[in-house]
C-alpha cells in the first residue's frame, strides 16, 4: 500500500503539493471513481495502470519497472556524459521517477542494440552479478579480415587488455563473414569488444548487441524504440 500523493510524486507527476492539487481538481480516477483524498492508501501492483487514470490517461507503470530498448547509435547511456541520452527517448516525466531508472550496464555511443533499463536495484545486481552467468552477445564488423586465430585467443582466458591486471574471462567468437563475427562475453569491461579486437591488431567499425542471457533483441523493436519487459522475458534472461 502506498499513499496516493507519494505514489504520484514518485512517478514524476509533480511535487506532493502539485499532485494534491491534481487530486483536488478531480483528475485522478480509480476504478471509475474520482479519488478525493490525496492521502488515500492504494494497493500498488502491475494492474494499477489499467485501473487508474491521471488527467484521463492511464497511470504510468509503477516501480518495479524494467524496459528493453533498441539503443540507437549516437545516444549515450549515462546521465552525466555529454550528448543525447537513452533517457531522453523515454517520456519526459520518467526522468523524475523515484527510484530512478538506470541502464543495466552500458553500450557505447557508437554501439547499437539490446539495452535493459530498470528501477529495480536487486534485479540490476542479479543481471550484472558474475554469479548469474548472464552472457552478452555482440555482432562486430571489422576493418580488416579475421586472421583465423581470434576464436582460440579469446577462448583461452589469457588475453590481457592494455592497462589491466586481470586477464579476460574466456569468450566465444563465431565468424559470420570475412570481417564480421559474433562474440559472446560473460563480463563487461570498458569498451571490451573494441579493445579485444584492438589487442589483435584489428578495429571494430560497427558494433551491435543482439542478446543478453536468453533474451534476444526482438526483430520488431526498431532503433530508438522500447517497451516493458514481460515477466516471461525476465525469466528468459536468466535461462
Ligand atoms: N564492448 C564495447 O566495446 N562497446 C560496447 O558498447 C559494448 C561492449
Amino acid at each position: 500500500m502506498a499513499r496516493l500523493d507519494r505514489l504520484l510524486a514518485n512517478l514524476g507527476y509533480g511535487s506532493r503539493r502539485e499532485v494534491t492539487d491534481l487530486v483536488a481538481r478531480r483528475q485522478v480516477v480509480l476504478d471509475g471513481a474520482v479519488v478525493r483524498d490525496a492521502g488515500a492508501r492504494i494497493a500498488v501492483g502491475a494492474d494499477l495502470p489499467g485501473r487508474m487514470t491521471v488527467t484521463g490517461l492511464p497511470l504510468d507503470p509503477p516501480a518495479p519497472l524494467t524496459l528493453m530498448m533498441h539503443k540507437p547509435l549516437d545516444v549515450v547511456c549515462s546521465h552525466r556524459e555529454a550528448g543525447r541520452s537513452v533517457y531522453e527517448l523515454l517520456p519526459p516525466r520518467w526522468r523524475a521517477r523515484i527510484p530512478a531508472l538506470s541502464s543495466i550496464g552500458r553500450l557505447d555511443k557508437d554501439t547499437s542494440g539490446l539495452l535493459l533499463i530498470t528501477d529495480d536495484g536487486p534485479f540490476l545486481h542479479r543481471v550484472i552479478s558474475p554469479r548469474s552467468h548472464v552472457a552478452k552477445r555482440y555482432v562486430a564488423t571489422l576493418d580488416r579480415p579475421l586472421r583465423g586465430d581470434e576464436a582460440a585467443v579469446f577462448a583461452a582466458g589469457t588475453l590481457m587488455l592494455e592497462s589491466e591486471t586481470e586477464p579476460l574471462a574466456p569468450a566465444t567468437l563465431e565468424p559470420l563473414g570475412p570481417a564480421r563475427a559474433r562474440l559472446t562475453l560473460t563480463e563487461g569491461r570498458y569498451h571490451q569488444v573494441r579493445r579485444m579486437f584492438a589487442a589483435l591488431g584489428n578495429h571494430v567499425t560497427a558494433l551491435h548487441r543482439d542478446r543478453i542471457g536468453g533474451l534476444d533483441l526482438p526483430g520488431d523493436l526498431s532503433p530508438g524504440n522500447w517497451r516493458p519487459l514481460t515477466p516471461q522475458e525476465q525469466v528468459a534472461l536468466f535461462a
Side-chain angles (χ1 to χ4, degrees), residues 168-187:
L168 293 177
T172 311
L173 177 130
E174 301 162 68
L176 296 175
R180 243 175 128 235
R182 186 180 280 143
L183 185 59
T184 305
L185 308 182
T186 57
E187 46 186 0

Side-chain angles (χ1 to χ4, degrees), residues 63-67 97 99-102 104 117-127 234:
L65 174 64
T66 299
L67 310 171
R97 285 174 66 110
L101 286 161
S102 64
I104 303 183
I117 296 176
T118 191
D119 60 14
D120 183 346
F123 179 75
L124 183 149
H125 287 292
R126 225 180 119 212
V127 177
Q234 296 217 14

Side-chain angles (χ1 to χ4, degrees), residues 106-111 138 185 189-195 207 209:
R106 288 182 187 172
L107 291 176
D108 302 334
K109 187 172 182 180
D110 44 2
T111 302
Y138 298 86
L185 308 182
R189 303 200 199 176
Y190 180 68
H191 287 175
Q192 184 169 340
V193 174
R194 294 173 203 279
R195 290 165 73 212
L207 188 59
R209 182 159 71 190

